[in-house]
């Protein structure tokens, strides 16, 4: 049997990622809770409560202990704006203290905290004031950052201001799958993006004022779009999707402006406001021209699909994602990567394939500093509710019981050895082992 260890650089970060609304349960005061209460918005009309129960049940303690025991050295999580600022004029100090305690708990366990200030959820007062379409939205976000950054800065120096502004905007204003549920509201989508860029730039400035050595970015979702045919219309559509979805936000952070086809964004003050690229990568898609969005994107014939057909295992697309992220000339951190699979064979293959690509990218000299698997434990999957299971640990949503999936041990071996070891590949993902060592 071939023996090989695909080694990562010393100090490479291995972690998992979660977000407040998806693991806390009992959020009463944000746009998602309201959205969940309206029948038809979430598959099976599911609710995020109690879920992994990190808030009322304090079960972050046991989940993070498991993460640390499994060799992880970092955890990316988000703080819930609606808990910290329940009304425009009030701050809940006990909510801030909750997050401080959780961050101290991470540090005690040997997990470096990475904080996300905004992960899809908005306080209800913010939503009712027009949400991200309100020209005051960036100022509201600035005030929130002014409050929380000084309170958390002694416990971290890694910050994500906004998680996936592209997904928030696309789902909120194009497909309607996320609140506010608007469809093909193109002008609103661009306004939402512009205000998020302004909010990010404001938060970037505040974080650096408080902490000059901070590393700040957004987590950008990269979808690898590949033209289905060589027809000009398909190729143009593919380029448009790539520019608009993958590049618009980061291009503005890089250059202060973005323009492609009808889409224009100009936010000069945002230029240079990122210290690394936070990359969330899940899948690639083929694109063809169609006025029906559901027909415009599809997985390649024969692609290996996750449980509900939501994602395909396309390792070459991950390689493209890593090249794209590195093209901005800053260090890259993979802030999310994972797959939905309850039974877990597919997840192990997915992990084997993606970590191998990650190793190739790092070895070719791309400046990649770390990797956060999505996710630590099954959590609330937005409009897909509990039908998709992304956790290394399985969650029984009726009882709250956690159960270790085999991927835990596979990922632990990678974290502990700081390497993808051929022996572990053979044990946990024999199909991938065969693929890599076939020749
Ligand atoms: C989001 C996560 C989500 C994951 C899997 C990402 O786009 O940031 O919140 O759970 O995808 O669907």
């Amino acid at each position: 049997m071939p023996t090989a260890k695909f080694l990562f650089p010393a100090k490479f970060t291995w972690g998992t990622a979660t977000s407040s609304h998806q693991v806390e349960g009992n959020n009463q005061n944000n746009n998602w809770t309201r959205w969940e209460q309206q029948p038809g918005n979430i598959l099976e009309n599911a609710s995020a409560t109690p879920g992994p129960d990190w808030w009322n049940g304090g079960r972050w303690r046991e989940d993070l202990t498991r993460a640390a025991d499994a060799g992880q050295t970092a955890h990316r999580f988000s703080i819930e704006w609606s808990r910290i600022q329940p009304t425009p004029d009030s701050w809940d100090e006990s909510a801030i203290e909750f997050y401080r305690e959780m961050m101290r708990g991470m540090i005690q366990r040997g997990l470096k905290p990475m904080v996300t200030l905004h992960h899809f959820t908005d306080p209800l007062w913010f939503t009712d004031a027009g949400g991200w379409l309100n020209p005051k939205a960036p100022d509201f976000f600035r005030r929130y950052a002014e409050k929380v950054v000084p309170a958390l800065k002694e416990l971290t120096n890694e910050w994500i201001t906004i998680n996936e502004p592209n997904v928030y905007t696309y789902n909120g204003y194009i497909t309607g799958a996320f609140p506010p549920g608007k469809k093909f509201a193109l002008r609103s989508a661009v306004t939402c993006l512009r205000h998020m860029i302004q909010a990010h730039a404001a938060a970037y400035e505040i974080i650096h004022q408080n902490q000059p050595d901070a590393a700040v970015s957004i987590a950008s979702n990269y979808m690898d779009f590949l033209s289905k045919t060589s027809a000009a219309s398909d190729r143009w559509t593919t380029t448009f999707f790539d520019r608009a979805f993958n590049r618009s936000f980061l291009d503005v952070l890089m250059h202060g402006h973005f323009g492609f086809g009808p889409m224009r964004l100009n936010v000069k003050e945002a230029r240079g406001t990122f210290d690394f690229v936070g990359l969330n990568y899940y899948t690639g898609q083929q694109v063809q021209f169609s006025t029906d969005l559901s027909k415009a994107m599809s997985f390649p014939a024969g692609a290996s699909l996750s449980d509900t057909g939501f994602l395909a295992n396309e390792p070459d697309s991950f390689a493209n994602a890593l090249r794209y992220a590195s093209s901005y000339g800053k260090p890259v951190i993979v802030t999310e990567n994972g797959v939905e699979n309850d039974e877990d064979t597919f997840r192990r293959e997915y992990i084997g394939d993606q970590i191998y690509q990650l190793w190739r990218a790092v070895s070719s000299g791309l400046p990649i500093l770390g990797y956060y698997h999505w996710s630590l434990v099954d959590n609330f999957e937005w409009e897909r509710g509990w039908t998709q299971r992304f956790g290394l640990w399985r969650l029984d949503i009726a009882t709250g019981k956690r159960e270790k999936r085999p991927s835990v041990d596979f990922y632990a071996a990678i974290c502990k050895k700081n390497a993808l070891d051929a022996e572990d590949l053979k044990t946990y993902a024999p199909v991938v082992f065969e693929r890599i060592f076939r020749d």
Side-chain angles (χ1 to χ4, degrees), residues 114-344:
M114 179 190 273
V115 182
T116 304
L117 298 181
H118 183 276
H119 194 124
F120 293 167
T121 52
D122 302 316
L124 279 181
W125 63 262
F126 177 90
T127 302
D128 292 339
W132 286 99
L133 301 188
N134 183 342
K136 289 192 194 137
D139 274 341
F140 290 144
F141 196 70
R142 170 192 288 274
R143 286 187 58 212
Y144 165 54
E146 279 168 349
K147 179 72 185 175
V148 293
V149 171
L152 305 183
K153 70 177 181 186
E154 77 206 39
L155 300 166
T156 190
N157 68 347
E158 282 187 339
W159 307 82
I160 296 292
T161 54
I162 302 180
N163 180 71
E164 298 186 349
N166 51 352
V167 170
Y168 180 102
T169 306
Y170 179 73
N171 284 338
Y173 293 96
I174 305 293
T175 68
F178 278 17
K182 305 283 182 230
K183 293 190 176 144
F184 286 101
L186 296 172
R187 284 167 71 100
S188 298
V190 173
T191 304
C192 174
L193 272 183
R194 183 182 309 109
H195 291 160
M196 284 187 151
I197 294 168
Q198 290 166 341
H200 159 83
Y204 180 90
E205 187 191 319
I206 287 155
I207 295 169
H208 274 281
Q209 275 164 8
N210 276 278
Q211 195 178 53
D213 72 334
V216 186
S217 189
I218 58 156
S220 188
N221 183 298
Y222 177 87
M223 178 84 77
D224 194 38
F225 296 114
L226 301 164
S227 187
K228 190 166 181 178
T229 74
S230 56
S233 55
D234 290 350
R235 282 191 284 121
W236 190 89
T237 310
T238 308
T239 306
F240 179 71
F241 281 12
D242 177 56
R243 296 284 187 86
F245 186 83
N246 291 329
R247 295 172 200 267
S248 55
F249 206 102
L250 274 172
D251 277 11
V252 182
L253 303 198
M254 182 85 180
H255 306 293
H257 58 86
F258 168 85
F260 189 79
M263 191 173 163
R264 308 264 137 198
L265 284 162
N266 243 306
V267 187
K268 285 201 177 51
E269 73 270 22
R271 191 171 165 194
T273 59
F274 67 122
D275 305 311
F276 65 97
V277 173
L279 170 69
N280 291 0
Y281 166 81
Y282 287 90
T283 198
Q285 298 253 22
Q286 284 187 334
V287 176
Q288 64 184 337
F289 173 78
S290 170
T291 46
D292 178 350
L293 251 191
S294 65
K295 297 210 176 89
M297 282 181 265
S298 57
F299 292 120
S304 163
L305 298 181
S306 63
D307 287 0
T308 68
F310 183 61
L311 301 171
N313 180 5
E314 295 286 330
D316 291 345
S317 286
F318 188 32
N320 292 342
L322 293 164
R323 272 194 293 274
Y324 139 89
S326 305
S327 71
Y328 286 93
K330 306 260 172 143
V332 173
I333 300 178
V334 180
T335 36
E336 286 180 29
N337 173 244
V339 81
E340 46 116 8
N341 178 225
D342 197 10
E343 178 271 339
D344 202 53

Side-chain angles (χ1 to χ4, degrees), residues 408-424:
V408 170
D409 293 329
F410 184 25
Y411 190 52
I414 295 168
C415 299
K416 288 179 184 170
K417 297 179 185 178
N418 196 28
L420 179 64
D421 186 329
E423 277 185 31
D424 297 322

